[in-house]
Amino acid sequence: MPAQAYAGKECVCQLRRGICDQSCVEGMLETPFYIACLKLEGRRCLVVGGGDIGLEKVEGLLACNGEVTLVAPEAIEPLRSLAQEGSIRWERHSYEPADLEGAFMAIAATDETEVNIRVYKDAEKRAMLVNVVDVPPLCNFILPAIIRTGPLAIAISTAGASPALAKRIRNQIAEEYGEPYARLAIILNEARGWAKGTLPTYQDRKRFFESIVNGEPDPVELLRRGEEDAVRDLIDAARQSAVA
């Protein structure tokens, strides 16, 4: 696994300092990251590196229906199994720039600094999304800690400062925002078609949905008690009020 840059350790970034002086991460905590949710279905995603970290990234991409290509001369057994069953494509060779052709994003998860740098630079030339695991200066996007429950996804980022802290926050939030919130999202989605077809302006639709989400009784508490019909009654009442 690549080591994150810190003073006194061997340099792992494109600046090739020899011994890290942290110059590559100066100002990183002040960098404003544009948070986005990417649709990966039907898009080719490249993972370079066949170890445990490569497996973690492959599984994350597969969970979002990405079309994953693994590039690695060797791979651990779980990755080999994914290739054998056809879930991923395994290119059994060392990384080459041509591996990036047709890819939407690239993730490098090797323990070879020069390979990671090459992946980053080659991807940057192509204006691709690229992430070198645990080496922030070799990334043009970072991966937050994610909570997923049904259609609900919550991302927590510390701008690369502390993935461990992001995971702690993720676990705490997961205890608070779980299945009832995800179920409410599904029920509200069912009302979107009616709202778009009936309410003429964005502000009208905003007031409609906020009256449900922030109304009384609390729809989340109702769902926690298993009272889904009561939530649907709230939505029906909000519809009547919106067109009155």
Side-chain angles (χ1 to χ4, degrees):
M1 177 178 176
Q4 193 171 25
Y6 64 88
K9 192 170 183 68
E10 181 181 354
C11 179
V12 295
C13 79
Q14 71 274 37
L15 299 182
R16 294 185 173 87
R17 297 297 195 197
I19 299 300
C20 176
D21 61 4
Q22 288 193 298
S23 57
C24 60
V25 294
E26 289 179 2
M28 184 169 177
L29 296 185
E30 288 74 45
T31 300
F33 285 92
Y34 185 77
I35 306 298
C37 297
L38 302 177
K39 183 178 179 181
L40 298 184
E41 187 169 4
R43 297 185 185 275
R44 181 169 174 262
C45 304
L46 182 73
V47 175
V48 182
D52 291 332
I53 303 302
L55 174 63
E56 176 187 327
K57 302 309 174 185
V58 165
E59 291 178 334
L61 294 169
L62 289 176
C64 296
N65 299 320
E67 295 185 358
V68 180
T69 297
L70 173 70
V71 170
E74 301 292 337
I76 60 175
E77 194 281 329
L79 287 170
R80 295 198 300 270
S81 294
L82 288 171
Q84 289 169 358
E85 71 188 26
S87 294
I88 66 173
R89 179 179 178 181
W90 180 16
E91 298 288 347
R92 304 184 189 193
H93 58 74
S94 298
Y95 166 75
E96 301 170 357
D99 293 320
L100 297 175
E101 295 304 321
F104 176 67
M105 71 163 59
I107 299 177
T110 84
D111 57 4
E112 299 180 38
T113 294
E114 290 304 315
V115 173
N116 292 336
I117 292 172
R118 285 170 53 209
V119 173
Y120 171 75
K121 288 188 172 182
D122 292 342
E124 278 279 275
K125 290 176 183 176
R126 292 164 171 78
M128 287 175 54
L129 293 171
V130 58
N131 176 284
V132 174
V133 177
D134 207 25
V135 188
L138 294 180
C139 302
N140 59 26
F141 78 98
I142 59 176
L143 295 167
I146 300 291
I147 302 163
R148 294 188 190 278
T149 308
L152 181 66
I154 303 174
I156 301 96
S157 172
T158 58
S162 177
L165 177 59
K167 289 179 181 178
R168 173 176 172 170
I169 296 169
R170 178 196 64 189
N171 294 339
Q172 291 177 334
I173 290 177
E175 294 177 3
E176 174 66 22
Y177 301 98
E179 180 60 33
Y181 285 87
R183 186 60 193 154
L184 181 58
I186 293 171
I187 296 172
L188 292 174
N189 184 63
E190 295 170 359
R192 289 184 67 202
W194 176 89
K196 286 188 174 182
T198 307
L199 305 178
T201 70
Y202 167 80
Q203 290 300 328
D204 291 331
R205 295 188 290 274
K206 178 181 178 183
R207 281 191 293 270
F208 167 70
F209 284 109
E210 288 185 349
S211 72
I212 300 166
V213 172
N214 301 321
E216 291 293 340
D218 183 350
V220 172
E221 290 302 319
L222 291 173
L223 289 170
R224 282 179 173 150
R225 299 199 298 264
E227 300 178 29
E228 185 169 315
D229 288 343
V231 175
R232 296 187 183 279
D233 290 342
L234 285 178
I235 294 175
D236 288 340
R239 283 174 171 165
Q240 295 174 19
S241 177
V243 297

